[in-house]
Amino acid sequence: MPEGHLLHHIARRHREVLVGRTVRATSPQGRFSAGAAAIDGRVLDEVEAYGKRLFHRFGDDVVHVHLGRLGSFVWLDAPAGPPRPQARLRLEADTGAADLFAPIVCELGPASLRDGVVARLGPDPLRGDADVDAVRRAFATDGRAVGAVLLDQSVLSGVGNVLRSEALFLVGIDPATPTSSLDGRSFEQLWGTIVAMMSKAADLGRIVTTSDELVPEPEARYVYKQQRCRRCGAEVERPVVGGREMYRCPREQPATRRPGARKT
DNA sequence: TCTTTATGGTGAG
DNA sequence: TCACCCTAAAGAT
């Protein structure tokens, strides 16, 4: 399931196995038939991940994919069998096939489509060109809860519900803390944690924050989807922050002194 | 064989 | 703030 790390993971894979090759494109499910026809038989020039978006470029045309909450890309080594009929898009080369399921967005457009999409996104922590200063400035002036701001893709792009819960846990910050009240050191710690967490997740293709090993799913996180904090055993809270339920250890992420009621 | 849930985002009210 | 969009897999029955 997709947060930004997974899009980078997929992009790397597609670079290895598809870029520079002639690609046969079809839409077994049918909803991307016209787009698939337009790129069928062409060479895939590059694959780029930005936040939670993917761009496959064929000459002057770009396929923009956003997996949403349900989407996935599945890779099948050659010889790939026939695609499942639900596949929105199959990209196939002599190396194998990438099948796309349940994306919230799968669209074809000119190269400028990519720039338009990216213009609405904040810096992606996994990209070398990420403008940390821009994020720092946004945090300094934003009065919302840090838990909410981390989900705002126009402030920074790629962090989702698991990463925000686990990153805030690791730096010991209450999600309800306004970003404007974080000091410089806290920001640096948070940013560094996010970068490290996402880098590892992009390598593994999975978010594992508790260990360096491929532990089973329930053990992979400290607080996300946990009943009790995996570090201290305190009962995990599930506050709604930024419109979505998240996870917090009340003992290790103590509330900062805030006079008024919290609002996200 | 059901029902539920899922790491996202948008547009309407 | 809510309804809704996409599909599969896990859990309940």
Side-chain angles (χ1 to χ4, degrees), chain A residues 138-195:
Chain A
F139 270 55
T141 55
D142 199 316
R144 290 176 297 165
V146 60
V149 174
L150 286 177
L151 280 193
D152 185 340
Q153 304 297 300
S154 69
V155 174
L156 73 168
S157 58
V159 172
N161 211 22
V162 177
L163 289 168
R164 72 163 172 164
S165 294
E166 295 292 296
L168 288 173
F169 169 81
L170 278 179
V171 295
I173 295 175
D174 174 11
T177 313
T179 52
S180 51
S181 70
L182 294 178
D183 60 24
R185 194 173 131 271
S186 297
F187 175 84
E188 300 311 324
Q189 277 184 349
L190 179 56
W191 179 262
T193 299
I194 288 170
V195 170

Side-chain angles (χ1 to χ4, degrees), chain A residues 143-145 176 258 260-264:
Chain A
R144 290 176 297 165
R258 273 172 292 112
R262 66 187 62 176
K263 199 66 199 152
T264 59

